[in-house]
Amino acid sequence: MPSVAEDLKRVPLFSGLSDRQLRRLAKDFRDRPIPAGAQLTKQGEMSGVAFFVIAEGEAAVIVDGERVGTMGPGDHFGELGMISETERTATVEALTPMRCHAIQFWHFRAFAKKNPDVTWRLLQHVAGLLAKEQSRQAADAGRASA
């Protein structure tokens, strides 16, 4: 089984970190086994205290009751709720038994402050999510007016 640091290296957000940085970050992640059917996050809940990296298994992403995607090893979620300390924007439900690594926001924030390259990648990631959402809303508005 790969180490937490090896699992983190597969995540684009962390792929540019040195081995030393990855080992340091990995120390604050906790391994969490997740049974199939379990909800890891629930849309609308104020539970943004953790950020998750999927090590094994598959999860569904559900928004407004509709499945909008799936995630697997190397994918991550919870960053928006963690950063903004607001409601979760999606429900994430385990489709299979999973193993995730989770980090509390205060540990991640301390690491990000000491590693500006991670902060910059996270900013780029959030900007990409925002651009995708704006495109989706524009497409929805265009279909509504047609």
Side-chain angles (χ1 to χ4, degrees):
M1 178 170 23
S3 70
V4 175
E6 290 168 334
D7 285 338
L8 294 179
K9 193 170 195 164
R10 293 188 307 182
V11 177
L13 187 60
F14 305 130
S15 63
L17 294 178
S18 70
D19 288 342
R20 182 173 173 256
Q21 288 172 310
L22 284 167
R23 285 191 306 273
R24 172 59 197 100
L25 180 60
K27 287 180 182 179
D28 288 325
F29 274 88
R30 297 295 169 250
D31 206 41
R32 291 190 51 193
I34 310 293
Q39 287 186 345
L40 288 94
T41 65
K42 185 170 177 152
Q43 183 178 3
E45 280 191 358
M46 291 292 294
S47 62
V49 298
F51 169 73
F52 299 86
V53 173
I54 300 173
E56 297 173 0
E58 187 176 31
V61 180
I62 303 163
V63 177
D64 298 329
E66 183 178 327
R67 186 168 157 179
V68 297
T70 58
M71 295 184 293
D75 289 327
H76 58 85
F77 60 96
E79 67 278 12
L80 295 179
M82 180 181 68
I83 294 167
S84 65
E85 298 180 37
T86 59
E87 296 177 346
R88 295 290 189 177
T89 59
T91 296
V92 176
E93 184 175 302
L95 295 172
T96 66
M98 299 176 66
R99 187 172 57 86
C100 292
H101 306 300
I103 188 170
Q104 302 301 315
F105 83 92
W106 49 88
H107 292 301
F108 186 81
R109 181 175 24 199
F111 181 82
K113 284 180 177 181
K114 292 178 183 173
N115 295 275
D117 45 340
V118 171
T119 306
W120 181 251
R121 283 182 184 238
L122 190 58
L123 181 60
Q124 289 175 316
H125 172 70
V126 172
L129 292 175
L130 180 60
K132 190 185 298 184
E133 177 61 18
Q134 287 175 331
S135 293
R136 187 193 64 76
Q137 287 180 0
D140 288 351
R143 282 193 293 274
S145 65

